[in-house]
Amino acid sequence: MSNSTLPTKQRDHVEAPVLGGLGESVARPDGTLKVTGDFAYSSDLWADGMLWASTLRSPHPHARIKSINIAPALKINGVSAVLTHDDVPGSKLYGLEIVDQPVLAFDTIRFHGEAIAIVAADHPETAKRAAQAIVVEYEILEPVVDADYAISGNAPVIHDGGNITRHVPIIFGPQNLKADVVVKGEYEVGMQDQAPLGPESGLAIPADDGGIDLYLSTQWLHVDRGQLATVLGLPPEKVRLTLAGVGGAFGAREDMSMQAHIALLAMRTGKPVKIVYSREESFFGHVHRHPAKLRYEHGVTKEGKLVYVKANIVLDGGAYASSSPAVCANAACFAVGPYEVESATIDAYVAYTNNPPCGAMRGFGAVQTGFAYESQMDKIAETLGMDPIELRLKNAMVRDSLMPTGQPVDSAAPVAEILEKLRAMPLPPLTATTDGFDVIELPGGASNVTHGEGVRRGIGYAVGIKNIGFSEGFDDYSTAKVRLQIINGEPVVEVHTAAAEVGQGLVTLKGQIARTELGVQRVVVHVSDTQVGSAGSTSASRQSYVTGGAVMTACKAVRDEVLLYAMEKLGHLHPHLLHFRANYKMVNGEIRDGEGQLVSSLADLVKDRVFECTREYRHRPTTPIDPITGQGLPHAQFAFAGHRAVVDVDIETGMVKVIEMASVQDVGKALNPQAVEGQIEGGTAQGLGLAILEEIQVVNGKVKNPSFTDYLIPTVLDMPPVRSIILEYADEHAPYGLRGVGEAPTISSTPAVVSAIRQATGLALTRVPVRPEHITSTL
Amino acid sequence: MEFFRPATLNDALTLKSAHPTALCINGGTDVMVELNFDRKRPETLLDLSAISELSEWSDQGDSILLGAGVSYTRIYHELAKELPGLAMASRTVGSLQIRNKGGVGGNLGSASPAGDAHPALLASGATVNVASVNGTRAIDINDFYVGPKKNAMNPDEIITSVLIPKARGGQQYSKIGTRNAMVIAVCSFGIAIDSTNKSVGTGIGSAGPTPLRAHEAESYAASHLDWTHGSAVTPEMMKEFGALVAAASKPIDDVRGTAAYRRHTLAVISGRCLKWAWTSTQEMRSK
């Protein structure tokens, strides 16, 4: 699959003292299990005597609930409980940033698929039928489905306070500048789904102390716990969460879905309650990527230097806020892209509508603008008759360039190098269409659409920027507990955090960090739960940075305590320990002095003692942005990635075959090169999906394709090999110099593919996903 | 739900007679999707997968008698020479796992216009053999599809096999789908050239309420192909043939594509299929 250039050196300060430390491509502990189907996901949980839950959802996008009759459901044999909003003991609303979403709908239905009632029964099919037996009387209302209309002031109000969930203006540099050439463009991004392969699922078990234990898939245990405690009317310590096997997340598990529902049913019935969404329900049960309309105006000099960028961005947040306010800020902050500009005037809005709620998805607001600004860069290049790479090079950010927020990019910004390296990579050969050619290699693939007829090749480039970590002054921290003890004569380190492993490889990385810091081979990574402090969310490409930083800090604290203890016990033999503790090393289960002389084995020194430290780690503080000017220091770290896409397009049928994706990304330090490569390939695939395949089709508020039959994600025949180059420019602010990896490739992948299709077809293509009929419509 | 898994065809026919609303299932690649989506709640499922004769095929001289349950994988591995059009269509069905389970019986039973086998069966002039306790019946493929997801079978009948004439000329199948694999047809087209009878058969999928034939396109091709010298199909012929195929379609707008796009691409792929099938007709002739 992959053809990559992995970094091989420059790992001086992350040198691992034992095997399996930082810098190695340590294999994931769950890899083989997942490939062979033996991994236990949250959908595989089981408890004796457990009940199964099912949800009744609204078939209407906007309606008033006149009555709910649960009696027919209660009559069904095997049903233990049927709950509605009346049965929610605490807050009836929840939400990540704005508490606006009903646990179970009351009074008003605001989107197609909104949960109204929940059922627990002795069999999943019984629960499903009982849910269908509930009779809801609706007064159907006209849905507000257009975000522009929603914020126009003329639309019905969806929530008190109006339909503008957030407006983020940015006014940067002198305003109203004139330019030689003005290039305008309007772009549209469709609603993408995270499509994690594991559907929402979990198990809630009522506890003897009146509390509850939940085992589930999520991205942030503690924020779930906080919301659950409020909804259940319990003190947070009585709500205990343990992460179960997560089948991908990509933002879809930031908001609660089934958590409160199974907890309510378990507390009501006194029995364990399990739920597993079907694929169809999963499409209704989580938030999606915000669809967007983006109106741009670039002013440039004749030589191709950006003078100003004006952008008006309207994101459709759907019925509830979710993380819309933060997505909106990201769209505004990254509206210009990785380019220097003298003047920027940006207005980003996120609207309430009666469409499905939108929230976090990989790339988080920067994906939508990435498609728009890179499309604009291509359009400017075409207008000026310039090479699109030259245009980008001319405007590329460098270290200490200013963001439109006025924030300097005070770390590596190798935008030009990314572009140069992409351009220098060899191109794949033309696809053969003679003598024994394979139709699989051509547009349409297995479907036998062309034997070369109508096929044009196109090459496109794009580069993108994304923030790492939570922004705008958020206290973004993680917690790690690290314990060192001797078990059976061997030193063992246990690492315990609440960080959600959702497939990204954090479990592996935590072990690598502990091995490197403590020189101990055996590391046990404790399952993530709420018995330790918050780790923050597995999002914003932040866990390696923040939880990695917490594990590093806790390990260093343990190391310090071990060395202090060594001083106490062995100081008379090793007088240097007193003053040169920092020079001592823990290597291969031993303590050695600065000259490499053995001080003691850990086993001999530690004996029955247990060294345990819990530490929090924070990335450097950020600030809110000014609500009028958008100026501030909102971001902790920036990531840069670029792509070159090579596509073959059958211009007569609109079939697209992406031949190759080449990627260059700065990752600061590749702590696990194979995991880094996996993130780059995955992000590239998800961006490719948005470019040509993936869209939740919503017509008048109703979802038309809630299945993998009609919501198409790339198959192995759609996703080509990725040729990647990984750059390592250490970020001095970050642990080990690392830079979050997961999201950046998703941003540049989409515009690169579309750019390549434009080059092949000569069409403007201002909307993603590009559908085949967009390509053939002009024929 | 009652579930029967008879071991013989006779037992199956008896059960079907007693439970005429029973839904037949073999590979399950259509039926299970319907059940999962809650679109169907049959009271009875009749599982035919234990009946070995349904998953066998035999050479009947001029034709292949294909058991309704022979998997798509076997069709393209074992019958690519005799039934090239159906083999190509089989190759485009779902994923390998689906192709290992599904067969033409399911396509015919569901009679969805998007079924990949239909265009090939129409183009080849196949005959569908059905059976009941009262005997057997052979239904001409042209009379088989009677409406959207409706076929000409009686409630007590089971599809046992399909009799498909062996190729007597080039055959092709082409499908438009938004993805390069594992995709349901936005529209599809099958062609079978019969150089013995100097005729051309066609089948259109996913562009009308039922699978369709393009009769005028067939006549046009039969009268314009150079049967004597075998000279190449011209771009004008491709265009005219494609236009006639598109004119025979009755597509609608839906989540998979617009009617206009379906008409347009049907014209393109059918023109190409004519050219490719004619080229292989000449190659067969020169062998």
PDB file of all heavy atoms in Angstrom, chain A residues 13 22 468 509 513 541-546 548-549 637 666-671 729-741:
ATOM      1  N   HIS A  13      17.600  13.360  20.841  1.00  0.00           N
ATOM      2  CA  HIS A  13      17.133  13.486  22.225  1.00  0.00           C
ATOM      3  C   HIS A  13      15.958  12.576  22.551  1.00  0.00           C
ATOM      4  O   HIS A  13      15.349  12.693  23.592  1.00  0.00           O
ATOM      5  CB  HIS A  13      16.842  14.940  22.566  1.00  0.00           C
ATOM      6  CG  HIS A  13      15.651  15.504  21.872  1.00  0.00           C
ATOM      7  ND1 HIS A  13      15.659  15.831  20.545  1.00  0.00           N
ATOM      8  CD2 HIS A  13      14.409  15.783  22.327  1.00  0.00           C
ATOM      9  CE1 HIS A  13      14.473  16.298  20.209  1.00  0.00           C
ATOM     10  NE2 HIS A  13      13.701  16.270  21.261  1.00  0.00           N
ATOM     11  N   LEU A  22      10.822   5.196  22.017  1.00  0.00           N
ATOM     12  CA  LEU A  22      10.424   6.206  21.053  1.00  0.00           C
ATOM     13  C   LEU A  22      11.273   6.151  19.802  1.00  0.00           C
ATOM     14  O   LEU A  22      12.473   5.859  19.866  1.00  0.00           O
ATOM     15  CB  LEU A  22      10.517   7.596  21.694  1.00  0.00           C
ATOM     16  CG  LEU A  22       9.487   7.843  22.790  1.00  0.00           C
ATOM     17  CD1 LEU A  22       9.796   9.147  23.516  1.00  0.00           C
ATOM     18  CD2 LEU A  22       8.077   7.866  22.216  1.00  0.00           C
ATOM     19  N   ILE A 468      -3.191  22.380  16.417  1.00  0.00           N
ATOM     20  CA  ILE A 468      -3.115  21.167  17.232  1.00  0.00           C
ATOM     21  C   ILE A 468      -3.480  21.548  18.660  1.00  0.00           C
ATOM     22  O   ILE A 468      -2.958  22.525  19.195  1.00  0.00           O
ATOM     23  CB  ILE A 468      -1.679  20.586  17.206  1.00  0.00           C
ATOM     24  CG1 ILE A 468      -1.198  20.345  15.779  1.00  0.00           C
ATOM     25  CG2 ILE A 468      -1.611  19.309  18.048  1.00  0.00           C
ATOM     26  CD1 ILE A 468      -2.048  19.431  14.952  1.00  0.00           C
ATOM     27  N   LEU A 509       2.042   4.266  22.041  1.00  0.00           N
ATOM     28  CA  LEU A 509       2.935   5.398  22.299  1.00  0.00           C
ATOM     29  C   LEU A 509       3.191   5.577  23.793  1.00  0.00           C
ATOM     30  O   LEU A 509       4.321   5.876  24.203  1.00  0.00           O
ATOM     31  CB  LEU A 509       2.341   6.680  21.698  1.00  0.00           C
ATOM     32  CG  LEU A 509       3.242   7.907  21.832  1.00  0.00           C
ATOM     33  CD1 LEU A 509       4.527   7.731  21.051  1.00  0.00           C
ATOM     34  CD2 LEU A 509       2.519   9.166  21.385  1.00  0.00           C
ATOM     35  N   ILE A 513       6.887   5.767  25.448  1.00  0.00           N
ATOM     36  CA  ILE A 513       7.374   6.883  26.270  1.00  0.00           C
ATOM     37  C   ILE A 513       7.904   6.352  27.597  1.00  0.00           C
ATOM     38  O   ILE A 513       9.003   6.705  28.038  1.00  0.00           O
ATOM     39  CB  ILE A 513       6.250   7.920  26.497  1.00  0.00           C
ATOM     40  CG1 ILE A 513       5.919   8.627  25.176  1.00  0.00           C
ATOM     41  CG2 ILE A 513       6.659   8.944  27.557  1.00  0.00           C
ATOM     42  CD1 ILE A 513       4.691   9.535  25.237  1.00  0.00           C
ATOM     43  N   SER A 541      -5.923  16.384  17.132  1.00  0.00           N
ATOM     44  CA  SER A 541      -4.588  15.779  16.968  1.00  0.00           C
ATOM     45  C   SER A 541      -3.729  15.953  18.211  1.00  0.00           C
ATOM     46  O   SER A 541      -2.528  16.118  18.128  1.00  0.00           O
ATOM     47  CB  SER A 541      -3.858  16.396  15.769  1.00  0.00           C
ATOM     48  OG  SER A 541      -4.639  16.381  14.614  1.00  0.00           O
ATOM     49  N   ARG A 542      -4.362  15.897  19.413  1.00  0.00           N
ATOM     50  CA  ARG A 542      -3.669  16.380  20.598  1.00  0.00           C
ATOM     51  C   ARG A 542      -3.161  15.320  21.562  1.00  0.00           C
ATOM     52  O   ARG A 542      -2.415  15.642  22.485  1.00  0.00           O
ATOM     53  CB  ARG A 542      -4.588  17.332  21.374  1.00  0.00           C
ATOM     54  CG  ARG A 542      -5.830  16.660  21.943  1.00  0.00           C
ATOM     55  CD  ARG A 542      -6.709  17.608  22.726  1.00  0.00           C
ATOM     56  NE  ARG A 542      -6.257  17.873  24.085  1.00  0.00           N
ATOM     57  CZ  ARG A 542      -6.294  17.002  25.090  1.00  0.00           C
ATOM     58  NH1 ARG A 542      -6.762  15.784  24.888  1.00  0.00           N
ATOM     59  NH2 ARG A 542      -5.868  17.332  26.292  1.00  0.00           N
ATOM     60  N   GLN A 543      -3.557  14.050  21.428  1.00  0.00           N
ATOM     61  CA  GLN A 543      -3.224  13.125  22.512  1.00  0.00           C
ATOM     62  C   GLN A 543      -1.736  12.797  22.620  1.00  0.00           C
ATOM     63  O   GLN A 543      -1.216  12.675  23.723  1.00  0.00           O
ATOM     64  CB  GLN A 543      -4.059  11.845  22.432  1.00  0.00           C
ATOM     65  CG  GLN A 543      -5.521  11.983  22.877  1.00  0.00           C
ATOM     66  CD  GLN A 543      -5.738  12.317  24.349  1.00  0.00           C
ATOM     67  OE1 GLN A 543      -4.869  12.862  25.027  1.00  0.00           O
ATOM     68  NE2 GLN A 543      -6.930  12.019  24.836  1.00  0.00           N
ATOM     69  N   SER A 544      -1.047  12.637  21.499  1.00  0.00           N
ATOM     70  CA  SER A 544       0.394  12.365  21.604  1.00  0.00           C
ATOM     71  C   SER A 544       1.069  13.520  22.338  1.00  0.00           C
ATOM     72  O   SER A 544       1.976  13.327  23.150  1.00  0.00           O
ATOM     73  CB  SER A 544       1.025  12.220  20.216  1.00  0.00           C
ATOM     74  OG  SER A 544       0.502  11.097  19.565  1.00  0.00           O
ATOM     75  N   TYR A 545       0.609  14.709  22.024  1.00  0.00           N
ATOM     76  CA  TYR A 545       1.181  15.924  22.598  1.00  0.00           C
ATOM     77  C   TYR A 545       0.839  16.002  24.085  1.00  0.00           C
ATOM     78  O   TYR A 545       1.725  16.067  24.947  1.00  0.00           O
ATOM     79  CB  TYR A 545       0.609  17.116  21.831  1.00  0.00           C
ATOM     80  CG  TYR A 545       1.235  18.474  22.069  1.00  0.00           C
ATOM     81  CD1 TYR A 545       1.541  19.313  20.990  1.00  0.00           C
ATOM     82  CD2 TYR A 545       1.499  18.953  23.346  1.00  0.00           C
ATOM     83  CE1 TYR A 545       2.097  20.568  21.186  1.00  0.00           C
ATOM     84  CE2 TYR A 545       2.047  20.206  23.547  1.00  0.00           C
ATOM     85  CZ  TYR A 545       2.336  21.015  22.464  1.00  0.00           C
ATOM     86  OH  TYR A 545       2.871  22.252  22.656  1.00  0.00           O
ATOM     87  N   VAL A 546      -0.438  15.994  24.413  1.00  0.00           N
ATOM     88  CA  VAL A 546      -0.852  16.351  25.771  1.00  0.00           C
ATOM     89  C   VAL A 546      -0.798  15.137  26.707  1.00  0.00           C
ATOM     90  O   VAL A 546      -0.203  15.205  27.780  1.00  0.00           O
ATOM     91  CB  VAL A 546      -2.242  17.030  25.760  1.00  0.00           C
ATOM     92  CG1 VAL A 546      -2.567  17.570  27.144  1.00  0.00           C
ATOM     93  CG2 VAL A 546      -2.272  18.170  24.750  1.00  0.00           C
ATOM     94  N   GLY A 548       0.712  12.329  25.874  1.00  0.00           N
ATOM     95  CA  GLY A 548       2.130  11.953  25.753  1.00  0.00           C
ATOM     96  C   GLY A 548       2.968  12.805  26.703  1.00  0.00           C
ATOM     97  O   GLY A 548       3.841  12.297  27.416  1.00  0.00           O
ATOM     98  N   GLY A 549       2.681  14.080  26.757  1.00  0.00           N
ATOM     99  CA  GLY A 549       3.399  14.990  27.656  1.00  0.00           C
ATOM    100  C   GLY A 549       3.160  14.639  29.116  1.00  0.00           C
ATOM    101  O   GLY A 549       4.081  14.706  29.948  1.00  0.00           O
ATOM    102  N   GLN A 637      -0.216  25.169  18.633  1.00  0.00           N
ATOM    103  CA  GLN A 637       0.717  24.577  17.663  1.00  0.00           C
ATOM    104  C   GLN A 637       0.032  24.526  16.303  1.00  0.00           C
ATOM    105  O   GLN A 637      -1.192  24.458  16.215  1.00  0.00           O
ATOM    106  CB  GLN A 637       1.083  23.148  18.098  1.00  0.00           C
ATOM    107  CG  GLN A 637       2.255  22.554  17.321  1.00  0.00           C
ATOM    108  CD  GLN A 637       2.535  21.107  17.708  1.00  0.00           C
ATOM    109  OE1 GLN A 637       1.620  20.283  17.757  1.00  0.00           O
ATOM    110  NE2 GLN A 637       3.791  20.803  17.980  1.00  0.00           N
ATOM    111  N   ASP A 666       5.125  17.748   7.901  1.00  0.00           N
ATOM    112  CA  ASP A 666       6.057  17.945   9.011  1.00  0.00           C
ATOM    113  C   ASP A 666       5.402  17.429  10.278  1.00  0.00           C
ATOM    114  O   ASP A 666       4.334  17.899  10.660  1.00  0.00           O
ATOM    115  CB  ASP A 666       6.392  19.434   9.157  1.00  0.00           C
ATOM    116  CG  ASP A 666       7.256  19.689  10.385  1.00  0.00           C
ATOM    117  OD1 ASP A 666       7.941  18.743  10.834  1.00  0.00           O
ATOM    118  OD2 ASP A 666       7.216  20.819  10.907  1.00  0.00           O
ATOM    119  N   VAL A 667       6.032  16.442  10.918  1.00  0.00           N
ATOM    120  CA  VAL A 667       5.457  15.864  12.133  1.00  0.00           C
ATOM    121  C   VAL A 667       6.298  16.201  13.367  1.00  0.00           C
ATOM    122  O   VAL A 667       6.090  15.613  14.421  1.00  0.00           O
ATOM    123  CB  VAL A 667       5.285  14.333  11.998  1.00  0.00           C
ATOM    124  CG1 VAL A 667       4.432  14.009  10.773  1.00  0.00           C
ATOM    125  CG2 VAL A 667       6.620  13.610  11.917  1.00  0.00           C
ATOM    126  N   GLY A 668       7.218  17.121  13.215  1.00  0.00           N
ATOM    127  CA  GLY A 668       8.053  17.497  14.362  1.00  0.00           C
ATOM    128  C   GLY A 668       9.036  16.396  14.698  1.00  0.00           C
ATOM    129  O   GLY A 668      10.228  16.498  14.401  1.00  0.00           O
ATOM    130  N   LYS A 669       8.528  15.347  15.295  1.00  0.00           N
ATOM    131  CA  LYS A 669       9.298  14.130  15.533  1.00  0.00           C
ATOM    132  C   LYS A 669       8.378  12.944  15.318  1.00  0.00           C
ATOM    133  O   LYS A 669       7.266  12.926  15.856  1.00  0.00           O
ATOM    134  CB  LYS A 669       9.818  14.088  16.986  1.00  0.00           C
ATOM    135  CG  LYS A 669      11.021  14.939  17.224  1.00  0.00           C
ATOM    136  CD  LYS A 669      12.271  14.320  16.613  1.00  0.00           C
ATOM    137  CE  LYS A 669      13.427  15.312  16.666  1.00  0.00           C
ATOM    138  NZ  LYS A 669      14.586  14.823  15.877  1.00  0.00           N
ATOM    139  N   ALA A 670       8.849  11.963  14.565  1.00  0.00           N
ATOM    140  CA  ALA A 670       8.040  10.756  14.345  1.00  0.00           C
ATOM    141  C   ALA A 670       8.321   9.790  15.490  1.00  0.00           C
ATOM    142  O   ALA A 670       9.303   9.062  15.459  1.00  0.00           O
ATOM    143  CB  ALA A 670       8.370  10.123  12.999  1.00  0.00           C
ATOM    144  N   LEU A 671       7.470   9.792  16.500  1.00  0.00           N
ATOM    145  CA  LEU A 671       7.718   8.969  17.686  1.00  0.00           C
ATOM    146  C   LEU A 671       7.459   7.494  17.384  1.00  0.00           C
ATOM    147  O   LEU A 671       8.056   6.620  17.985  1.00  0.00           O
ATOM    148  CB  LEU A 671       6.849   9.440  18.845  1.00  0.00           C
ATOM    149  CG  LEU A 671       7.080  10.906  19.268  1.00  0.00           C
ATOM    150  CD1 LEU A 671       6.213  11.257  20.469  1.00  0.00           C
ATOM    151  CD2 LEU A 671       8.544  11.178  19.573  1.00  0.00           C
ATOM    152  N   TYR A 729      10.811  18.588  11.824  1.00  0.00           N
ATOM    153  CA  TYR A 729      11.334  19.836  12.380  1.00  0.00           C
ATOM    154  C   TYR A 729      10.760  19.991  13.775  1.00  0.00           C
ATOM    155  O   TYR A 729       9.594  20.353  13.946  1.00  0.00           O
ATOM    156  CB  TYR A 729      10.941  21.032  11.495  1.00  0.00           C
ATOM    157  CG  TYR A 729      11.622  20.999  10.147  1.00  0.00           C
ATOM    158  CD1 TYR A 729      10.914  20.730   8.991  1.00  0.00           C
ATOM    159  CD2 TYR A 729      12.998  21.210  10.054  1.00  0.00           C
ATOM    160  CE1 TYR A 729      11.541  20.675   7.763  1.00  0.00           C
ATOM    161  CE2 TYR A 729      13.642  21.156   8.830  1.00  0.00           C
ATOM    162  CZ  TYR A 729      12.911  20.890   7.683  1.00  0.00           C
ATOM    163  OH  TYR A 729      13.540  20.833   6.484  1.00  0.00           O
ATOM    164  N   ALA A 730      11.608  19.679  14.753  1.00  0.00           N
ATOM    165  CA  ALA A 730      11.120  19.634  16.130  1.00  0.00           C
ATOM    166  C   ALA A 730      10.496  20.958  16.544  1.00  0.00           C
ATOM    167  O   ALA A 730      11.021  22.030  16.262  1.00  0.00           O
ATOM    168  CB  ALA A 730      12.261  19.273  17.062  1.00  0.00           C
ATOM    169  N   ASP A 731       9.343  20.858  17.208  1.00  0.00           N
ATOM    170  CA  ASP A 731       8.717  22.034  17.796  1.00  0.00           C
ATOM    171  C   ASP A 731       9.234  22.153  19.225  1.00  0.00           C
ATOM    172  O   ASP A 731       8.965  21.285  20.063  1.00  0.00           O
ATOM    173  CB  ASP A 731       7.186  21.867  17.788  1.00  0.00           C
ATOM    174  CG  ASP A 731       6.486  23.069  18.412  1.00  0.00           C
ATOM    175  OD1 ASP A 731       7.175  23.909  19.042  1.00  0.00           O
ATOM    176  OD2 ASP A 731       5.249  23.168  18.273  1.00  0.00           O
ATOM    177  N   GLU A 732       9.961  23.213  19.489  1.00  0.00           N
ATOM    178  CA  GLU A 732      10.614  23.334  20.794  1.00  0.00           C
ATOM    179  C   GLU A 732       9.628  23.457  21.953  1.00  0.00           C
ATOM    180  O   GLU A 732       9.988  23.262  23.098  1.00  0.00           O
ATOM    181  CB  GLU A 732      11.612  24.511  20.799  1.00  0.00           C
ATOM    182  CG  GLU A 732      11.040  25.822  20.354  1.00  0.00           C
ATOM    183  CD  GLU A 732      11.141  26.061  18.844  1.00  0.00           C
ATOM    184  OE1 GLU A 732      10.824  25.148  18.030  1.00  0.00           O
ATOM    185  OE2 GLU A 732      11.535  27.166  18.473  1.00  0.00           O
ATOM    186  N   HIS A 733       8.360  23.750  21.638  1.00  0.00           N
ATOM    187  CA  HIS A 733       7.380  23.886  22.714  1.00  0.00           C
ATOM    188  C   HIS A 733       6.764  22.546  23.095  1.00  0.00           C
ATOM    189  O   HIS A 733       6.089  22.454  24.112  1.00  0.00           O
ATOM    190  CB  HIS A 733       6.237  24.817  22.270  1.00  0.00           C
ATOM    191  CG  HIS A 733       6.729  26.116  21.721  1.00  0.00           C
ATOM    192  ND1 HIS A 733       7.293  27.082  22.514  1.00  0.00           N
ATOM    193  CD2 HIS A 733       6.777  26.590  20.457  1.00  0.00           C
ATOM    194  CE1 HIS A 733       7.653  28.112  21.759  1.00  0.00           C
ATOM    195  NE2 HIS A 733       7.359  27.834  20.506  1.00  0.00           N
ATOM    196  N   ALA A 734       6.954  21.532  22.281  1.00  0.00           N
ATOM    197  CA  ALA A 734       6.185  20.291  22.444  1.00  0.00           C
ATOM    198  C   ALA A 734       7.061  19.174  22.986  1.00  0.00           C
ATOM    199  O   ALA A 734       8.272  19.168  22.782  1.00  0.00           O
ATOM    200  CB  ALA A 734       5.598  19.868  21.101  1.00  0.00           C
ATOM    201  N   PRO A 735       6.446  18.206  23.676  1.00  0.00           N
ATOM    202  CA  PRO A 735       7.224  17.068  24.168  1.00  0.00           C
ATOM    203  C   PRO A 735       7.912  16.353  23.006  1.00  0.00           C
ATOM    204  O   PRO A 735       7.258  16.050  22.000  1.00  0.00           O
ATOM    205  CB  PRO A 735       6.192  16.162  24.838  1.00  0.00           C
ATOM    206  CG  PRO A 735       4.868  16.804  24.669  1.00  0.00           C
ATOM    207  CD  PRO A 735       5.022  18.117  24.002  1.00  0.00           C
ATOM    208  N   TYR A 736       9.189  16.124  23.150  1.00  0.00           N
ATOM    209  CA  TYR A 736      10.012  15.435  22.142  1.00  0.00           C
ATOM    210  C   TYR A 736      10.022  16.176  20.803  1.00  0.00           C
ATOM    211  O   TYR A 736      10.485  15.641  19.805  1.00  0.00           O
ATOM    212  CB  TYR A 736       9.542  13.985  21.924  1.00  0.00           C
ATOM    213  CG  TYR A 736       9.385  13.224  23.210  1.00  0.00           C
ATOM    214  CD1 TYR A 736       8.137  12.838  23.666  1.00  0.00           C
ATOM    215  CD2 TYR A 736      10.510  12.920  23.998  1.00  0.00           C
ATOM    216  CE1 TYR A 736       7.999  12.158  24.870  1.00  0.00           C
ATOM    217  CE2 TYR A 736      10.373  12.243  25.203  1.00  0.00           C
ATOM    218  CZ  TYR A 736       9.117  11.867  25.637  1.00  0.00           C
ATOM    219  OH  TYR A 736       8.984  11.208  26.825  1.00  0.00           O
ATOM    220  N   GLY A 737       9.446  17.383  20.771  1.00  0.00           N
ATOM    221  CA  GLY A 737       9.385  18.131  19.513  1.00  0.00           C
ATOM    222  C   GLY A 737       8.264  17.704  18.594  1.00  0.00           C
ATOM    223  O   GLY A 737       8.159  18.172  17.454  1.00  0.00           O
ATOM    224  N   LEU A 738       7.382  16.848  19.099  1.00  0.00           N
ATOM    225  CA  LEU A 738       6.366  16.276  18.197  1.00  0.00           C
ATOM    226  C   LEU A 738       5.345  17.312  17.763  1.00  0.00           C
ATOM    227  O   LEU A 738       5.144  18.341  18.412  1.00  0.00           O
ATOM    228  CB  LEU A 738       5.655  15.104  18.878  1.00  0.00           C
ATOM    229  CG  LEU A 738       4.628  15.383  19.978  1.00  0.00           C
ATOM    230  CD1 LEU A 738       3.238  15.655  19.414  1.00  0.00           C
ATOM    231  CD2 LEU A 738       4.552  14.202  20.929  1.00  0.00           C
ATOM    232  N   ARG A 739       4.686  16.998  16.669  1.00  0.00           N
ATOM    233  CA  ARG A 739       3.626  17.830  16.133  1.00  0.00           C
ATOM    234  C   ARG A 739       2.448  16.882  15.837  1.00  0.00           C
ATOM    235  O   ARG A 739       2.673  15.812  15.267  1.00  0.00           O
ATOM    236  CB  ARG A 739       4.117  18.451  14.824  1.00  0.00           C
ATOM    237  CG  ARG A 739       3.478  19.748  14.429  1.00  0.00           C
ATOM    238  CD  ARG A 739       4.129  20.281  13.167  1.00  0.00           C
ATOM    239  NE  ARG A 739       5.446  20.866  13.397  1.00  0.00           N
ATOM    240  CZ  ARG A 739       5.649  22.065  13.935  1.00  0.00           C
ATOM    241  NH1 ARG A 739       4.641  22.810  14.281  1.00  0.00           N
ATOM    242  NH2 ARG A 739       6.865  22.516  14.131  1.00  0.00           N
ATOM    243  N   GLY A 740       1.266  17.248  16.268  1.00  0.00           N
ATOM    244  CA  GLY A 740       0.100  16.378  16.036  1.00  0.00           C
ATOM    245  C   GLY A 740      -0.027  16.018  14.566  1.00  0.00           C
ATOM    246  O   GLY A 740       0.220  16.838  13.691  1.00  0.00           O
ATOM    247  N   VAL A 741      -0.397  14.785  14.300  1.00  0.00           N
ATOM    248  CA  VAL A 741      -0.317  14.270  12.931  1.00  0.00           C
ATOM    249  C   VAL A 741      -1.682  14.043  12.274  1.00  0.00           C
ATOM    250  O   VAL A 741      -1.833  14.209  11.071  1.00  0.00           O
ATOM    251  CB  VAL A 741       0.448  12.913  12.934  1.00  0.00           C
ATOM    252  CG1 VAL A 741       0.489  12.307  11.546  1.00  0.00           C
ATOM    253  CG2 VAL A 741       1.857  13.110  13.439  1.00  0.00           C
TER     254      VAL A 741
END
